[in-house]
């Protein structure tokens, strides 16, 4: 992936591009520290509803237009169901059963799904390096998600796996994280359809509100003691996850996704598990097994290969694919027609 940024805006542009993934990784750590004192569905709703309100307030200040027509609201509702309710619900439930760093690695395997969806919907070229990356990604995710004893036992004797073990596997946090990653991938693709009918910032705010309401509804039915055990530090962590890990991070991400290259933008998600693993080790003392570290490495390599496939194949990417932050100059400048009339020669007396 190549980012085409002007020299004068390069430092600021780089910060904006990296910001969502840094904020997601650190928010994952903050959520993991809060989850013992609250419930997952309630926490997921907290990440969405207040953040959606903040984004809509910012959109109103910027003068963004409200959605118009039933088509716009239907696309926003679908966007909210997939990227709001399903993604955040599965993320929170999976976070209960896995570590912040490991969970972030699983979540940020979503460029693998984005590549397949782009091939299906937009006929995007994958090529040899892309398919190699997908294969390594499947292997890496398997090393991360499957229990170590399963893998060693399978390599040693190819033993059968019982039905009870599969039930235990499907209930594990790693597989919930994979489902959450698929939901996020579909949401990333959906933003292209949503922005045909409404502004991306406004759509992001409303999809958080519409996606968060079912989460709080399910929390009120199936959960209890949602906030009674929260401490001051827990409220601060939730505030960080809501304002920075949701409102700012998702606002930036979907703004870029609505106008730039999905492939180029998705390639940056490999930064999120790096931030999460770093801060998870510093604050939560999380440790991965050597086999899981190898799976993490394969997953990151696979994401790199998928998103660098054109460069590795020696193909030139188009200008449209290279640009993320800035539209082309031709799009920025409206054509101006100037009429020039040749003046009559001046005659001296």
């Amino acid at each position: 992936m190549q980012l085409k940024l002007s020299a004068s805006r390069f430092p600021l542009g780089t910060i904006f591009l990296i910001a969502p993934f840094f904020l997601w990784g650190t928010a994952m750590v903050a959520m993991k520290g809060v989850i013992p004192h609250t419930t997952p569905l309630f926490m997921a709703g907290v990440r969405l509803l207040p953040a959606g309100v903040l984004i809509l307030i910012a959109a109103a200040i910027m003068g963004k237009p409200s959605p118009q027509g039933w088509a716009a609201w239907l696309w926003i509702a679908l966007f909210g169901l997939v990227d709001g309710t399903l993604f955040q619900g599965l993320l929170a439930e999976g976070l209960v059963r896995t570590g912040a760093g490991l969970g972030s690695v699983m979540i940020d395997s979503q460029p693998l799904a984005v590549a397949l969806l782009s091939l299906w919907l937009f006929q995007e070229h994958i090529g040899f390096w892309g398919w190699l990356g997908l294969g390594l990604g499947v292997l890496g995710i398997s090393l991360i998600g499957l229990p170590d004893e399963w893998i060693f036992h399978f390599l040693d004797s190819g033993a059968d796996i019982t039905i009870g073990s599969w039930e235990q596997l499907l209930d594990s946090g790693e597989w919930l994280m994979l489902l959450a990653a698929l939901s996020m991938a579909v949401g990333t693709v959906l933003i292209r359809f949503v922005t045909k009918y409404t502004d991306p910032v406004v759509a992001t705010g409303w999809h958080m509100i519409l996606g968060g309401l079912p989460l709080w509804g399910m929390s009120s039915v199936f959960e209890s003691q949602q906030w009674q055990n929260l401490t001051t530090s827990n409220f601060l962590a939730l505030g960080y996850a809501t304002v920075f890990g949701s409102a700012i991070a998702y606002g930036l991400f979907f703004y870029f996704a609505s106008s730039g290259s999905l492939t180029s933008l998705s390639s940056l998600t490999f930064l999120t598990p790096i931030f999460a693993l770093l801060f998870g080790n510093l604050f939560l003392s999380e440790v991965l097994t050597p086999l899981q570290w190898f799976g993490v490495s394969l997953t990151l390599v696979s994401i790199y290969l998928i998103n660098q496939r054109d460069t590795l194949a020696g193909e030139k990417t188009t200008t449209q694919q290279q640009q993320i932050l800035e539209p082309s100059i031709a799009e920025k400048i409206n054509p101006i027609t100037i009429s020039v009339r040749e003046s009559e020669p001046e005659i001296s007396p």
Side-chain angles (χ1 to χ4, degrees):
M1 181 193 65
Q2 298 176 354
L3 304 180
K4 189 176 181 180
L5 302 174
S6 62
S8 61
R9 294 184 60 187
F10 180 78
L12 183 61
T14 302
I15 292 174
F16 281 139
L17 282 172
I18 295 176
F21 312 102
F22 171 82
L23 295 174
W24 282 338
T26 52
M28 188 81 68
V29 178
M31 290 169 60
K32 186 62 179 178
V34 174
I35 198 63
H37 306 278
T38 184
T39 56
L41 295 178
F42 173 78
M43 184 175 64
V46 169
R47 285 201 67 184
L48 287 181
L49 274 168
V53 173
L54 291 175
I55 291 178
L56 290 181
I57 292 174
I61 294 174
M62 292 185 291
K64 301 290 185 180
S66 300
Q68 301 294 328
W70 61 270
W73 285 108
L74 284 178
W75 277 109
I76 292 175
L78 178 61
F79 185 33
L81 174 65
V82 174
D83 191 75
T85 305
L86 290 179
F87 171 59
Q88 291 294 340
L90 291 168
L91 170 64
E93 291 286 352
L95 195 58
V96 178
R97 301 171 174 85
T98 188
L102 178 57
S104 181
V105 172
M106 305 297 290
I107 284 293
D108 295 296
S109 66
Q110 57 92 13
L112 305 175
V114 170
L116 290 175
L117 289 172
S118 298
L119 172 65
W120 176 44
L121 294 173
F122 310 123
Q123 290 76 49
E124 183 174 325
H125 175 69
I126 294 181
F128 169 77
W129 293 106
W131 288 116
L132 176 62
L134 288 173
L136 291 177
V138 172
L139 177 59
I141 291 173
S142 299
L143 294 178
I144 295 171
L146 295 175
D148 288 4
E149 58 271 17
W150 281 27
I151 298 173
F152 289 124
H153 203 67
F154 176 79
L155 294 176
D156 184 43
S157 60
D160 295 331
I161 301 174
T162 64
I163 298 298
S165 297
W166 280 109
E167 292 176 350
Q168 181 181 4
L169 173 65
L170 294 176
D171 190 49
S172 67
E174 287 80 6
W175 286 99
L176 292 176
M177 289 296 194
L178 284 178
L179 293 175
L182 179 60
S183 299
M184 183 180 179
V186 174
T188 302
V189 174
L190 277 177
I191 192 64
R192 287 297 177 87
F193 299 96
V194 174
T195 52
K196 292 181 179 179
Y197 301 94
T198 188
D199 180 82
V201 177
V202 175
T204 301
W206 277 113
H207 107 282
M208 286 183 162
I209 294 176
L210 296 179
L213 287 173
L215 292 172
W216 270 0
M218 288 185 291
S219 175
S220 65
V221 174
F222 300 110
E223 297 177 341
S224 61
Q225 301 291 316
Q226 289 93 330
W227 61 82
Q228 286 80 354
N229 298 321
L230 291 174
T231 64
T232 302
S233 61
N234 295 150
F235 279 110
L236 291 175
L238 281 177
Y240 177 84
T242 299
V243 177
F244 294 94
S246 291
I248 297 177
Y250 282 99
L252 288 172
F253 178 80
F254 285 117
Y255 174 78
F256 296 147
S258 67
S259 58
S261 170
L262 290 180
T263 300
S264 298
L265 183 63
S266 295
S267 68
L268 293 176
T269 48
F270 76 87
L271 294 173
T272 306
I274 295 177
F275 290 129
L277 288 170
L278 173 63
F279 285 91
N281 178 264
L282 290 176
F283 294 104
L284 303 179
S285 302
E286 292 184 349
V287 179
L288 300 181
T289 67
L291 196 60
Q292 287 175 327
W293 273 116
F294 183 59
V296 168
S297 301
L298 287 181
T299 302
L300 299 182
V301 169
S302 73
I303 295 171
Y304 172 82
L305 291 177
I306 290 170
N307 291 279
Q308 292 283 348
R309 61 192 182 279
D310 291 337
T311 303
L312 293 172
E315 300 175 3
K316 293 184 178 180
T317 57
T318 64
T319 302
Q320 182 180 3
Q321 290 175 330
Q322 291 176 344
Q323 292 175 337
I324 289 182
L325 283 178
E326 301 184 67
S328 65
I329 297 177
E331 292 175 348
K332 286 184 176 180
I333 304 176
N334 295 325
I336 301 174
T337 302
I338 302 176
S339 298
V340 178
R341 183 169 60 88
E342 184 178 357
S343 62
E344 296 180 0
E346 181 177 349
I347 301 176
S348 300

